[in-house]
Amino acid sequence: MATLDILIYPDDRLRKVARPVDDINAEVTALVDDMFETMYEAPGIGLAATQVNVHQRVVVIDVTEDKSDPLTLINPEILSTEGEAQGDEGCLSIPGIYESVARAEKITFRALDRSGQPYERDADGLLAVCVQHEVDHLDGKMFVDYLSALKRRRIKKKMLKHEK
Ligand code: GNR
Ligand code: NI
């Protein structure tokens, strides 16, 4: 196992669209394991492969406080959404920035688990937010894209200033 480096906004590589995984082999399961280690160490509640510069549709999530519900989402698909809710979001690729974003309140999603088994799950609350945030990453989208151009410009400037 190893922790992986996380790309920081506004890195262009965060804009790449990830490709579906067609074979869950040892390389993919090792990536999943390293992503969990990276996410728990950060600490964060989710991590998309895009953020560690791997452009495959792989996500790990654990929204619990005691690391008791690790979820692997390979080739995730949001099948349906319901309602809308506004909530503060952060991102490991935009450290120190928290802004309110509107998301679907409830979702149903499908994905493959670490062994390649398909599953479907309903989500609300923080899990629903996190799945939407991570699927966006796989499509090269970041939560700041939902903010005003003015706010986004300020965040970009701040990130570039803190870069070394
Ligand atoms: O750790 C994270 N916390 C978080 C809080 C509110 C909404 C979304 C998130 S996801 C974020 C980890 C991350 O950047 N995943 O891509
Ligand atoms: Ni993020």
Side-chain angles (χ1 to χ4, degrees):
M1 295 249 280
T3 58
L4 308 167
D5 290 335
I6 297 175
L7 299 176
I8 302 299
Y9 181 81
D11 195 305
D12 284 343
R13 294 169 291 184
L14 288 165
R15 296 305 185 180
K16 292 177 79 164
V17 177
R19 300 178 59 160
V21 173
D22 58 11
D23 176 32
I24 300 179
N25 53 29
E27 199 179 321
V28 174
T29 56
L31 170 66
V32 167
D33 295 345
D34 288 347
M35 285 174 62
F36 271 115
E37 194 180 336
T38 304
M39 177 188 78
Y40 285 131
E41 194 197 61
I45 60 168
L47 186 70
T50 306
Q51 293 176 276
V52 294
N53 199 28
V54 176
H55 303 283
Q56 298 187 52
R57 304 189 79 82
V58 176
V59 163
V60 297
I61 292 178
D62 190 340
V63 297
T64 68
E65 276 178 12
D66 57 353
K67 309 182 178 184
S68 59
D69 192 15
L71 294 174
T72 302
L73 290 73
I74 297 172
N75 300 341
E77 285 177 78
I78 295 170
L79 302 173
S80 62
T81 66
E82 216 181 294
E84 195 180 272
Q86 193 89 21
D88 265 11
E89 293 196 21
C91 182
L92 294 172
S93 294
I94 319 177
I97 304 292
Y98 303 90
E99 293 283 350
S100 185
V101 173
R103 298 280 189 184
E105 186 179 18
K106 296 180 179 180
I107 64 169
T108 300
F109 70 93
R110 175 166 53 205
L112 304 177
D113 68 15
R114 191 180 173 284
S115 62
Q117 192 68 31
Y119 67 96
E120 218 177 280
R121 185 164 166 161
D122 294 330
D124 60 12
L126 194 53
L127 178 59
V129 171
C130 193
V131 170
Q132 293 171 79
H133 176 115
E134 304 311 337
V135 171
D136 270 356
H137 274 304
L138 300 180
D139 292 325
K141 222 167 151 60
M142 314 267 306
F143 83 87
V144 292
D145 300 345
Y146 299 106
L147 306 178
S148 70
L150 175 63
K151 273 193 178 172
R152 200 163 47 247
R153 206 152 45 233
R154 286 182 176 152
I155 292 166
K156 194 179 286 186
K157 217 175 146 185
K158 187 168 175 184
M159 288 299 120
L160 290 169
K161 190 172 153 192
H162 290 271
E163 168 182 280
K164 38 176 171 34

